[in-house]
Amino acid sequence: MALRSGGEILVANLLAQRATLAFGVPGESFLAVLDALYDVRDRLPFIVCRHEGGAAYMAEAYGKLTGRPGILFVTRGPGASNAAVGIHTAAQDSSPMIAFVGQVGTDMVDREAFQEIDYRRMYGSVAKWAAQIDRAERIPEYVAHAHRTAMSGRPGPVVLALPEDMLASRVEVADAPYVEAIAAAPLERDVRAAEALLRRAQRPLVIVGGSRWDERSRDSLLRFGEASQLPIACAFRHQDLFDNRHPNYAGDVGIAINPTLAARVREADVLLVIGERLGEMTTSGYSLIDVPSPRQTLIHVHPGAGELGSVYQPAIAIAATPGAFLDAIDGAAARSGAIAAQAASAHADYEAWRTPRPVPGAVDLWRIVHWLDERLPADAVLTNGAGNYATWIHRVFRYGGARRQLAPYSGSMGYGVPSAITAKLLHPERVVVSWNGDGCYLMNGQELATAVQYGVAVVFVVVDNGMFGTIRMHQERNYPGRVSGTDLVNPDFAVLARAYGADGQTVEATDHFAPAFERAVASGRPALLHLKVDPQAITMNATLDGLRDGRPKPGLIRNA
Ligand SMILES: Cc1ncc(C[n+]2csc(CCOP(=O)(O)OP(=O)(O)O)c2C)c(N)n1
Ligand SMILES: [Mg+2]
């Protein structure tokens, strides 16, 4: 066996785990890794980014799309600090990710040497596991363990610190084998009990969410939905798990939930929850389901046993992956009386909820998103961050089937740009649309340079209302007329895009969107569409003045 540097061993072990992309910003702390990556740049390209926050989001999105950990490389203190937003998002979104962080040499550790941080303490409460590799011969063990940890149970981020001298040292060691997420399957007894509860239910509802889904388990969900005829809703920002055009689709249980769907959740007698944690956003602030004893009979299926009963005490707790549960349950056996009619009525409510309403201004997001819904192919990817601008796509766009949604369950701004770059790198043949607010876009707009550098032809949309609109909305409700810290003076985003070497167009009327979008797609290059929307169109239902006056405008409903 040959002597290899720590950097070479690390890269060989990432290849052994079949990593296909790595993201990061370089630092002198991990030169040995960069050097090892040079030799395998065709098999494991290092996507060099402009900010570690963007790189970390890109790695997180890789985890969401592939189910394998997104690989991130960042340097010591400053790099590790910039990356925090993506590591936190991987934690809240239950996405597998491994963040490799540079570390000072072991000869000077614990002196607060240049940029030194103890990452075990820094990330101890955010990451699933935070550790430091002190000996190069143990790299294969740590990398395999990190993969298992990131993917198994409830997936999440792992942080591994890499002392500089460890990476440069040369040792003989064998690579670790390829590892997979630990399977988790239900007991037969529990599945039969769940079927019996569903069969007797008068108002059953299924909510799906979380991670550890794949194409096969999505197909199984579709078959389960057809055989059982149960209404199926998707949790906050997990709208792509079930085909939104399916007659059993009941809508998304998230922010600004359809009131009729909220009532269905509240009034359900049996709630089958598959893969979803039932977090604050999915439960409307823990109001749809009582803590700790739900009125609904709760069947909770989650791959992480630690999630079950952590907030809600279920009637049946099943520690299983969504796929294993769906393989075990017999949809036909769970079918009950007049439930198909309820599913149809829930779907009709969903369709009514996405029907356009009048909004002020020349650029109407209702109509634009309806157009996108009709226009985008069956396998398109649509990404977004956090802000009121996102509610239009959450409410109007129909995900599911092969259409994918990349959106932060963590509610973190700046996600729409980097996640779209990952999607297009992984799926160059798909149309990828990155949907951003003006505030959101500028949190990671610098990654447009990354898109240009790698020729990643995403269509970036910027919905510009000249403010941090979501916060302004809360401000007008709570402190009417006192605008503080929410106004924005923005650049000309189309000119900015062109300065980066991308295409840039301005859209000032609804009808201009479609041709601009077609030109953007046809360009085959990264392209940005700057949508100038009326600040009055602050939510899908209410105007700014309406919020300020405390009453709805004629024809509009207050409070999205
Ligand atoms: C990283 C981060 N910082 C701050 C917030 C708080 N926040 C949520 S939405 C929002 C405003 C978003 O502004 P914009 O992208 O312009 O969307 P708009 O609401 O105007 O449509 C802010 C500041 C957040 N969610 N994430
Ligand atoms: Mg805005």
PDB file of all heavy atoms in Angstrom, residues 124 166 271 398 414 514:
ATOM      1  N   GLY A 124     -21.909  22.345  17.926  1.00  0.00           N
ATOM      2  CA  GLY A 124     -22.427  21.251  18.761  1.00  0.00           C
ATOM      3  C   GLY A 124     -23.943  21.177  18.805  1.00  0.00           C
ATOM      4  O   GLY A 124     -24.507  20.078  18.823  1.00  0.00           O
ATOM      5  N   MET A 166      -2.489  17.484   9.867  1.00  0.00           N
ATOM      6  CA  MET A 166      -3.070  16.150   9.622  1.00  0.00           C
ATOM      7  C   MET A 166      -3.267  15.941   8.114  1.00  0.00           C
ATOM      8  O   MET A 166      -2.945  14.875   7.567  1.00  0.00           O
ATOM      9  CB  MET A 166      -4.397  16.046  10.384  1.00  0.00           C
ATOM     10  CG  MET A 166      -5.118  14.722  10.290  1.00  0.00           C
ATOM     11  SD  MET A 166      -6.028  14.473   8.756  1.00  0.00           S
ATOM     12  CE  MET A 166      -7.348  15.687   8.871  1.00  0.00           C
ATOM     13  N   LEU A 271     -55.259  11.199  11.649  1.00  0.00           N
ATOM     14  CA  LEU A 271     -54.225  11.923  10.896  1.00  0.00           C
ATOM     15  C   LEU A 271     -53.063  10.968  10.688  1.00  0.00           C
ATOM     16  O   LEU A 271     -52.454  10.511  11.657  1.00  0.00           O
ATOM     17  CB  LEU A 271     -53.788  13.118  11.747  1.00  0.00           C
ATOM     18  CG  LEU A 271     -53.373  14.425  11.117  1.00  0.00           C
ATOM     19  CD1 LEU A 271     -54.330  14.886  10.044  1.00  0.00           C
ATOM     20  CD2 LEU A 271     -53.247  15.487  12.223  1.00  0.00           C
ATOM     21  N   ARG A 398     -48.095  24.169  -9.313  1.00  0.00           N
ATOM     22  CA  ARG A 398     -48.377  22.761  -8.971  1.00  0.00           C
ATOM     23  C   ARG A 398     -47.118  21.922  -9.129  1.00  0.00           C
ATOM     24  O   ARG A 398     -46.645  21.696 -10.228  1.00  0.00           O
ATOM     25  CB  ARG A 398     -49.531  22.240  -9.831  1.00  0.00           C
ATOM     26  CG  ARG A 398     -50.863  22.840  -9.422  1.00  0.00           C
ATOM     27  CD  ARG A 398     -51.990  22.466 -10.343  1.00  0.00           C
ATOM     28  NE  ARG A 398     -51.810  23.020 -11.696  1.00  0.00           N
ATOM     29  CZ  ARG A 398     -52.685  22.878 -12.677  1.00  0.00           C
ATOM     30  NH1 ARG A 398     -53.803  22.186 -12.463  1.00  0.00           N
ATOM     31  NH2 ARG A 398     -52.452  23.389 -13.862  1.00  0.00           N
ATOM     32  N   GLY A 414     -32.189  33.945   0.917  1.00  0.00           N
ATOM     33  CA  GLY A 414     -30.978  33.767   0.122  1.00  0.00           C
ATOM     34  C   GLY A 414     -30.792  32.378  -0.444  1.00  0.00           C
ATOM     35  O   GLY A 414     -29.746  32.071  -1.007  1.00  0.00           O
ATOM     36  N   ALA A 514     -43.966  36.545 -20.348  1.00  0.00           N
ATOM     37  CA  ALA A 514     -43.841  35.315 -21.151  1.00  0.00           C
ATOM     38  C   ALA A 514     -42.761  35.438 -22.232  1.00  0.00           C
ATOM     39  O   ALA A 514     -41.862  34.587 -22.295  1.00  0.00           O
ATOM     40  CB  ALA A 514     -45.195  34.925 -21.750  1.00  0.00           C
TER      41      ALA A 514
END
